[in-house]
Amino acid sequence: MEYFLELFFSGLTRGSIYALIALGYTMVYGIIGLINFAHGEIYMIGAFTALICATVLTIWGLPPLAVLGLSAFAAIIWSAAYGLTVERIAYRPLRHAPRLSPLISAIGMSIFLQNYVLLAQTADFVSFPALIPDFAWLEPYRSIIGSSDLVILLTTAVVMLLLTILIKGTKIGRAMRATAQDREMALLLGIDVNLVISVTFVIGSALAAIGGVLIASHIGQINFAIGFLAGIKAFTAAVLGGIGSVPGAVLGSLLLGWTESFATGYISSDYEDVFAFALLVLILIFRPSGILGRHHNQKV
Amino acid sequence: MLKMRGVEVSYGKICALHGVDLEIRSGEIVTLIGANGAGKSTLLMAISGLARPIQGCIEFLGEEIQALPPNRIVERGISQVPEGRRIFPQLTVRENLELGAFCRHDPQGVRDDLAYVFSLFPILASRSQQLGGTLSGGEQQMLAISRALMARPSLLLLDEPSLGLAPIVIRQIFSIIQKINQEHKTTVFLVEQNANLALKVASRGYVLENGRVTMTDSADNLLRHEGVRQAYLGV
Ligand SMILES: Nc1ncnc2c1ncn2[C@@H]1O[C@H](COP(=O)(O)OP(=O)(O)O)[C@@H](O)[C@H]1O
Ligand SMILES: [Mg+2]
């Protein structure tokens, strides 16, 4: 039972990180119908920004949780700026081009950003300081859930709540949903669709940055390529839940996290990535549009 | 109020409007009739800024608007109810209406207008928490008109509001259009294939054929005109 709970929580932690990244894929897809392949790199850039920031702040002697908060803040700003810029230079000029063009542009952006960080930083893994202290009161449950897992879960929960409020309850959130459903009609109502798209990229990038900081602190090391696998997994989760659907992305991510965690825990850790993609293939055979995806192809 | 001079619009090689001249005066109901494919919807999209004229100019309240982005055009007081209603199916009736007021910054005025459209179409008030996609065709048309009114336009563009609706619903909607025109002094530009009905509520009409305005006259004269009767009134 204890082993089960341990796997449950480690799956939940993984799933939370996937969800933070998957939301960016699914929201951007929902609004402009594009798979933003550079999204994993935005997450990676978030982790690097936090690393640089954390190193400086730690030298200044700030307490770890303050360092974590400030680094995360810097990562959010910096990643959001990157997301915004990528949309401006790589996707917006291609908005009316054939569907394949922005996709190729996205792949190009992904490769460019990876190599840019590779050159600017290093090819090796660099260690990331453990910014989440061990909570003494969590000691009795140590074998089930670690303090960094707990911080990741709580942060993700709060972020999801804020995102839901934003999407459901604010004017810009309404405009985002309207644009996803019928962009031309949104324009006719005077919605500034360019602004809506920019906001979507900013939010998606900010969420990915939070994921990047949390996972970097959890695992303890990063390099320029971490965005690739994390990006593909999160994308898988988004497709699993039904790409374009916000609750679907969260559900798909949790499902993926648990699948990986339980399968590696009970079966074998050699095939960790195989399970994830086997799950994807299975779901897509039985529900081609994902768990919460709409059957008739909704116009985006 | 609105003047179009020599407006040309094309989609790639297909020329949809060949130099259209047209004028709408404040307070009027003007109709544009024409067969399917004549370019009526394109003309409305050009006014709303979604189809860019390659030639000509569109003047609204004395200023050229043909190069403005769509949101600036809405802010200046032009709202369109597009063909096929285009309700956001996954948003509630109320959210659809609130989006109609997206460009406005006077919360009190928006609340008043919400009450006003609910008084025009009480059915929408009782359905306000329902998803737009669950409404019937007639209710969706009422919602589409209400949504456009939420911007408090001075010029309301309507693209085939009678399309696919039962005669009784069409009559109800047309009487509301007249009511809006009288009560709010909202100028109405009504595009219709149902020429008979349109010419009865309008004071003037234009006939569009293959992207060209071929005739314009008072609605009464058009109703009596032999060519119009044969081509558009089915008699
Ligand atoms: N998005 C488009 N792309 C290419 N051609 C179009 C498009 N929309 C309309 N057209 C063409 O422009 C002409 C006018 O269409 P439209 O304005 O929709 O006419 P109407 O509303 O009078 O039926 C038609 O020949 C139509 O095929
Ligand atoms: Mg039309």
Side-chain angles (χ1 to χ4, degrees):
Chain A
M1 187 63 198
E2 199 178 292
Y3 188 50
F4 174 85
L5 282 177
E6 183 192 333
L7 293 177
F8 177 86
F9 280 111
S10 80
L12 198 58
T13 306
R14 267 171 193 265
S16 301
I17 300 294
Y18 290 152
L20 287 170
I21 310 173
L23 282 164
Y25 280 109
T26 219
M27 286 167 63
V28 163
Y29 183 85
I31 302 264
I32 57 172
L34 168 80
I35 307 296
N36 176 15
F37 280 110
H39 189 57
E41 276 58 57
I42 299 291
Y43 153 91
M44 176 269 292
I45 285 171
F48 267 98
T49 310
L51 173 63
I52 294 165
C53 199
T55 310
V56 174
L57 292 176
T58 307
I59 293 171
W60 286 359
L62 266 67
L65 274 180
V67 173
L68 180 68
L70 288 171
S71 309
F73 182 71
I76 287 170
I77 302 289
W78 202 239
S79 289
Y82 266 91
L84 203 63
T85 312
V86 166
E87 192 269 326
R88 277 294 166 89
I89 64 177
Y91 307 148
R92 189 170 296 187
L94 296 172
R95 190 138 341 133
H96 301 286
R99 264 180 102 79
L100 213 51
S101 315
L103 215 59
I104 293 167
S105 184
I107 294 171
M109 260 298 149
S110 162
I111 296 171
F112 168 76
L113 289 175
Q114 274 190 41
N115 285 282
Y116 156 68
V117 174
L118 168 67
L119 289 174
Q121 301 292 325
T122 164
D124 303 325
F125 269 96
V126 283
S127 71
F128 194 99
L131 296 174
I132 302 168
D134 286 329
F135 305 130
W137 52 268
L138 204 63
E139 204 52 50
Y141 313 100
R142 164 94 314 141
S143 59
I144 298 169
I145 182 169
S147 44
S148 78
D149 295 274
L150 190 68
V151 170
I152 290 175
L153 295 184
L154 292 180
T155 310
T156 308
V158 170
V159 166
M160 298 291 155
L161 186 69
L162 292 176
L163 182 69
T164 308
I165 293 171
L166 180 99
I167 292 178
K168 291 280 178 195
T170 67
K171 194 169 166 175
I172 188 75
R174 254 197 314 273
M176 286 168 70
R177 284 181 291 147
T179 306
Q181 287 173 40
D182 187 343
R183 190 198 300 179
E184 197 176 64
M185 190 61 231
L187 283 167
L188 279 178
L189 293 179
I191 293 170
D192 184 344
V193 167
N194 282 335
L195 178 74
V196 168
I197 293 172
S198 295
V199 169
T200 308
F201 272 85
V202 164
I203 295 171
S205 305
L207 296 179
I210 296 172
V213 178
L214 291 174
I215 200 68
S217 167
H218 186 64
I219 307 242
Q221 57 174 10
I222 58 176
N223 84 342
F224 72 95
I226 56 166
F228 178 71
L229 195 59
I232 293 220
K233 292 267 187 76
F235 172 61
T236 303
V239 173
L240 206 59
I243 187 115
S245 158
V246 168
V250 178
L251 187 66
S253 299
L254 294 182
L255 216 58
L256 188 67
W258 278 320
T259 304
E260 287 189 342
S261 173
F262 284 121
T264 51
Y266 285 124
I267 305 171
S268 157
S269 62
D270 295 341
Y271 300 103
E272 182 181 324
D273 300 335
V274 174
F275 296 119
F277 297 110
L279 177 70
L280 178 72
V281 170
L282 274 180
I283 297 266
L284 289 186
I285 287 172
F286 295 107
R287 274 195 73 94
S289 49
I291 302 167
L292 296 184
R294 301 212 170 75
H295 269 299
H296 56 99
N297 206 356
Q298 201 203 81
K299 197 182 163 299
V300 285
Chain B
M1 173 177 233
L2 184 92
K3 276 191 197 130
M4 300 178 82
R5 277 196 305 269
V7 172
E8 272 179 42
V9 175
S10 59
Y11 298 103
K13 281 201 177 118
I14 310 162
C15 194
L17 295 179
H18 308 264
V20 168
D21 294 302
L22 180 149
E23 183 171 0
I24 298 166
R25 289 187 285 268
S26 185
E28 284 186 304
I29 298 184
V30 176
T31 186
L32 177 76
I33 57 181
N36 203 1
K40 305 182 298 296
S41 300
T42 304
L43 196 151
L44 291 192
M45 287 302 177
I47 299 175
S48 289
L50 268 79
R52 291 285 167 211
I54 46 174
Q55 284 248 293
C57 88
I58 305 174
E59 225 180 83
F60 181 64
L61 302 173
E63 288 177 68
E64 293 196 1
I65 58 165
Q66 74 272 10
L68 292 180
N71 55 325
R72 294 277 169 269
I73 294 174
V74 175
E75 279 166 10
R76 280 166 193 241
I78 304 181
S79 286
Q80 184 184 156
V81 181
E83 188 176 334
R85 333 186 206 297
R86 315 270 293 253
I87 293 306
F88 299 112
Q90 304 293 322
L91 298 186
T92 64
V93 167
R94 198 189 168 96
E95 287 174 327
N96 269 280
L97 290 171
E98 283 168 337
L99 279 166
F102 189 81
C103 287
R104 291 176 60 179
H105 306 285
D106 55 328
Q108 186 55 49
V110 173
R111 272 193 295 277
D112 293 347
D113 285 357
L114 194 65
Y116 175 65
V117 299
F118 281 156
S119 76
L120 287 177
F121 301 110
I123 186 90
L124 295 181
S126 59
R127 301 266 150 105
S128 68
Q129 295 309 318
Q130 221 167 299
L131 291 185
T134 65
L135 299 185
S136 73
E139 290 163 354
Q140 289 197 3
Q141 188 64 61
M142 297 174 195
L143 177 55
I145 293 174
S146 303
R147 182 177 60 183
L149 289 178
M150 290 300 294
R152 199 177 275 187
S154 51
L155 174 61
L156 180 64
L157 312 174
L158 295 159
D159 197 348
E160 305 207 31
S162 72
L163 198 71
L165 300 183
I168 180 167
V169 182
I170 297 178
R171 271 198 297 281
Q172 188 192 352
I173 284 177
F174 272 63
S175 79
I176 297 278
I177 292 171
Q178 283 179 296
K179 190 172 169 190
I180 295 162
N181 172 252
Q182 281 150 18
E183 285 181 357
H184 270 231
K185 302 280 166 276
T186 307
T187 311
V188 176
F189 187 34
L190 174 64
V191 164
E192 265 296 344
Q193 281 195 61
N194 191 338
N196 198 9
L197 210 58
L199 288 170
K200 278 180 183 144
V201 301
S203 57
R204 292 191 303 121
Y206 287 84
V207 177
L208 191 71
E209 281 174 26
N210 297 322
R212 287 192 174 82
V213 171
T214 53
M215 207 185 303
T216 171
D217 209 333
S218 74
D220 292 339
N221 287 345
L222 286 175
L223 268 174
R224 281 194 294 266
H225 187 279
E226 201 48 45
V228 172
R229 288 169 69 88
Q230 274 175 10
Y232 302 107
L233 302 177
V235 286

